[in-house]
Amino acid sequence: METITITGIVIGTAIGLVIGLVITKILEKKRGSEIINKAKRTASNRVKSAHKEAESIKKDKILQAKERFIELKSEHEKVILSREKKIADVEKRLRDKESQLSSELDKNRKLNKELATKEADYDYRLDFLEKKQTEIDKVHKRQVEQLEVISGISAEDAKSELVASLKEEAKSDAMSYVQDIMEEAKLTAEQDARKIILNTIQRVGVEQSIENCVSVFNLESDDVKGRIIGREGRNIRAIESATGVEIIVDDTPEAIILSCFDPVRREVARLSLHNLVTDGRIHPARIEEVVKKTEKQIQQEIIEVGKRTVIDLGIHGLHPELIKTVGRMKFRSSYGQNLLQHSREVANLCALMATELGLNPKVAKRAGLLHDIGKVPDTETELPHALLGMQWAEKYGEKPDVCNAIGAHHDEIEMKTLYAPIVQVCDAISGARPGARRQVLDSYIQRLKDLEDLAFGFTGVQKAYAIQAGRELRVLVESSKVDDAKASELSFNISQKIQNDMTYPGQVKVTVIRETRAVNVAK
């Protein structure tokens, strides 16, 4: 009985499980169909929306293509219209030219007729004048014959006597005039010469002497001055004797002054002092040793500078003595301008100018480099530097074109080649460059200062800077006082003021800068 009951329970349980499984399958199938239907509906909706979006994109693209077509068409029409306009302008100019040519042809025909008429009239008048001249000659001949009969001498003899008397009278007057001029010159020459020399010395003598004859040697401390002077001044006397330079030890802190007309000697003294102070052993024997060694170094440096300059400029075949002279230019200045830099500038300018004129640029560059070699003589001479340089160039085998250009660049001799005026012009260009020489530098700096001061005369200007060698003026204004519109107006007013009140080469660009700044500090 119990077995039957357990079996029934098991069977009932199994039946229940089967029924539950069936129900679960039915429910899952129903749910899956719903999900599929929902997915189908979603897919169909998305397909419909995609179709709608595609249609809208298609319409947009069509519209864009139409607009682009219209734009291209309008541009093409504009190009065609512009070409037609150009063609019409050309045709109009051709018609105007034809009408002008026809009018000129008519004028030429009229002028030819007038010229023919005038030529005929001129021929008639010329014949008439020739007849009159023949008559006048006959009358003059009869008068001369009558005068010869009356005076008893011929016309040629009378002319010779008159010319001789006039010559004697002219010689007498000329000698008297020359004698008066010579006496006056003798009386006033010495006085005028003294006046010129005194004026020259008072104006530029002191400045030029200090500028070109003095070098300053800086010291680490004033204690070194005593060691340079030495016991009873024996060290400083030894330095002056070995270098030929006067050494001035005064109250100037941490510096002594080297004074000498020869810049090479000053450089030898400066380097010798530097070596002695660095080494610390300063006594007469050591001084002589260091000075001799420094002189050799300076001579070697002069040769190296000359060789490097010649190589940089591409000049070949220059005599070693001329190369050495070129190197000595490094230690020489002319009116505050370094002579070697000036000669290099002149050489490059001469080469460019000769190229433009169709001449040999190498010859011009050679003459430009050597044009001032007479300014660095080894010994004193009374010749002008141009003639001395020409003599050196001839001595060391330079060509006649180069020698003539060197000697004639200050008009001491006649210019015989085209290279001479080129060197003369380029020498003047290099010396006149703004800032190259002292006289030009002063006026150049004053012009820049005048430009800046002119800008400060306007309201709202905070700062002003003259840049680009005075070709541009930059003006900084206060943003609270000058707005953008006034900035443009200010730029125009300053440019007009410069144009009306100042004299300047080329053009001056006026730039007005206005800025607003907001500054805060995070603490």
Side-chain angles (χ1 to χ4, degrees):
M1 191 69 182
E2 290 179 358
T3 303
I4 295 170
T5 304
I6 291 169
T7 303
I9 292 170
V10 171
I11 293 170
T13 302
I15 292 169
L17 288 172
V18 171
I19 293 170
L21 288 172
V22 171
I23 293 170
T24 301
K25 289 290 184 181
I26 292 169
L27 291 174
E28 286 180 354
K29 187 176 182 181
K30 186 177 180 181
R31 192 178 299 156
S33 63
E34 289 178 356
I35 291 170
I36 290 170
N37 293 330
K38 187 177 180 180
K40 288 181 178 179
R41 287 194 298 272
T42 304
S44 64
N45 291 332
R46 288 184 178 177
V47 170
K48 290 179 181 178
S49 63
H51 282 298
K52 291 180 180 178
E53 188 176 356
E55 289 294 331
S56 63
I57 291 170
K58 182 179 179 181
K59 290 179 181 179
D60 292 338
K61 292 295 183 181
I62 291 171
L63 289 174
Q64 290 177 3
K66 288 182 179 179
E67 292 176 354
R68 180 62 179 166
F69 176 75
I70 293 169
E71 289 178 359
L72 291 174
K73 185 178 178 182
S74 62
E75 290 178 359
H76 184 66
E77 290 177 352
K78 287 180 181 178
V79 171
I80 292 172
L81 289 173
S82 65
R83 288 181 179 175
E84 290 178 351
K85 185 177 179 181
K86 288 180 180 178
I87 292 170
D89 293 338
V90 171
E91 290 178 351
K92 183 180 178 182
R93 286 199 298 270
L94 289 173
R95 287 195 297 271
D96 295 339
K97 200 71 175 178
E98 288 177 357
S99 61
Q100 184 179 358
L101 289 172
S102 61
S103 62
E104 289 180 357
L105 285 173
D106 294 336
K107 290 180 181 178
N108 288 333
R109 292 192 189 97
K110 292 179 181 179
L111 287 173
N112 289 332
K113 290 181 180 178
E114 292 177 359
L115 287 173
T117 305
K118 288 182 179 180
E119 188 176 356
D121 185 44
Y122 175 76
D123 293 337
Y124 172 75
R125 291 183 180 182
L126 186 62
D127 294 337
F128 178 76
L129 288 174
E130 288 177 353
K131 292 178 181 178
K132 287 292 183 183
Q133 185 65 37
T134 305
E135 294 176 1
I136 291 170
D137 291 339
K138 290 179 180 179
V139 173
H140 177 70
K141 187 176 180 181
R142 285 198 300 270
Q143 290 177 351
V144 170
E145 290 174 353
Q146 291 175 2
L147 287 173
E148 288 178 352
V149 172
I150 294 170
S151 62
I153 58 174
S154 65
E156 292 295 331
D157 295 337
K159 187 187 294 185
S160 301
E161 291 181 5
L162 180 61
V163 170
S165 63
L166 289 175
K167 280 184 179 180
E168 292 297 329
E169 185 179 355
K171 285 182 180 179
S172 177
D173 292 342
M175 290 297 294
S176 176
Y177 181 73
V178 169
Q179 187 68 27
D180 293 340
I181 294 296
M182 291 290 291
E183 291 177 359
E184 184 180 357
K186 288 178 181 179
L187 292 174
T188 59
E190 186 175 356
Q191 182 180 358
D192 291 341
R194 288 179 179 176
K195 182 179 178 182
I196 292 169
I197 292 171
L198 287 175
N199 288 336
T200 304
I201 292 173
Q202 289 172 358
R203 291 181 62 185
V204 299
V206 175
E207 180 182 0
Q208 293 295 331
S209 296
I210 295 174
E211 172 84 17
N212 297 317
C213 305
V214 168
S215 297
V216 177
F217 181 72
N218 296 312
L219 303 172
E220 294 181 357
S221 64
D222 288 335
D223 298 337
V224 183
K225 287 185 179 180
R227 296 169 57 194
I228 292 174
I229 294 171
R231 183 180 298 177
E232 298 179 356
R234 63 175 187 173
N235 291 344
I236 195 170
R237 285 198 299 272
I239 296 172
E240 289 179 344
S241 176
T243 60
V245 175
E246 293 183 4
I247 299 178
I248 303 170
V249 182
D250 54 13
D251 296 334
T252 306
E254 299 181 356
I256 60 175
I257 297 173
L258 310 177
S259 177
C260 181
F261 283 104
D262 191 339
V264 178
R265 289 183 182 179
R266 285 205 314 272
E267 185 66 14
V268 170
R270 188 186 68 80
L271 291 177
S272 299
L273 278 173
H274 176 74
N275 294 332
L276 289 168
V277 171
T278 304
D279 183 56
R281 294 176 294 168
I282 305 176
H283 52 82
R286 177 65 177 165
I287 288 169
E288 291 180 2
E289 179 185 350
V290 170
V291 169
K292 289 181 180 178
K293 184 178 179 181
T294 305
E295 286 178 347
K296 291 181 181 178
Q297 290 177 356
I298 290 294
Q299 293 299 324
Q300 187 63 31
E301 183 182 354
I302 287 172
I303 295 172
E304 291 297 328
V305 169
K307 288 181 179 179
R308 189 163 56 249
T309 302
V310 170
I311 291 171
D312 291 343
L313 294 175
I315 297 174
H316 304 287
L318 202 63
H319 194 276
E321 287 297 325
L322 293 180
I323 293 175
K324 187 176 179 180
T325 305
V326 171
R328 288 175 63 86
M329 290 182 184
K330 178 184 177 182
F331 302 99
R332 176 67 189 264
S333 61
S334 177
Y335 300 98
Q337 185 181 19
N338 184 269
L339 191 59
L340 181 59
Q341 294 179 358
H342 165 67
S343 298
R344 289 174 68 109
E345 283 184 2
V346 173
N348 290 321
L349 290 171
C350 288
L352 292 173
M353 192 173 291
T355 303
E356 294 293 333
L357 293 173
L359 301 175
N360 190 343
K362 293 183 179 180
V363 176
K365 186 181 289 187
R366 199 181 193 98
L369 177 64
L370 300 177
H371 80 284
D372 271 347
I373 57 174
K375 288 186 177 181
V376 285
D378 293 325
T379 57
E380 295 296 329
T381 178
E382 297 179 356
L383 281 176
H385 75 274
L387 298 181
L388 181 60
M390 183 183 69
Q391 287 184 1
W392 285 359
E394 291 174 348
K395 178 180 178 181
Y396 296 119
E398 290 298 317
K399 294 181 179 179
D401 292 347
V402 177
C403 297
N404 181 255
I406 295 171
H409 79 276
H410 284 310
D411 294 322
E412 276 87 0
I413 62 172
E414 181 185 357
M415 295 183 181
K416 296 181 179 179
T417 65
L418 291 176
Y419 297 102
I422 291 175
V423 172
Q424 186 181 54
V425 170
C426 294
D427 180 35
I429 291 172
S430 176
R433 176 173 56 81
R437 295 186 174 179
R438 175 170 297 278
Q439 294 90 337
V440 182
L441 177 62
D442 293 339
S443 60
Y444 169 70
I445 293 174
Q446 185 62 39
R447 183 166 65 86
L448 298 186
K449 189 175 182 299
D450 293 341
L451 268 177
E452 295 175 354
D453 293 340
L454 185 143
F456 283 116
F458 290 84
T459 305
V461 175
Q462 187 177 13
K463 295 179 182 178
Y465 302 100
I467 61 175
Q468 297 290 336
R471 291 190 293 272
E472 183 177 355
L473 179 65
R474 290 193 178 179
V475 181
L476 278 69
V477 298
E478 299 179 13
S479 59
S480 59
K481 294 182 180 180
V482 180
D483 56 13
D484 291 339
K486 288 185 179 179
S488 177
E489 182 181 353
L490 181 64
S491 175
F492 176 76
N493 292 335
I494 292 174
S495 65
Q496 292 300 310
K497 184 76 171 175
I498 293 171
Q499 185 173 339
N500 295 329
D501 296 353
M502 293 187 66
T503 302
Y504 52 90
Q507 298 178 345
V508 179
K509 179 182 177 182
V510 180
T511 304
V512 175
I513 301 173
R514 175 182 178 270
E515 64 176 0
T516 305
R517 295 187 181 184
V519 181
N520 290 290
V521 179
K523 297 181 179 178

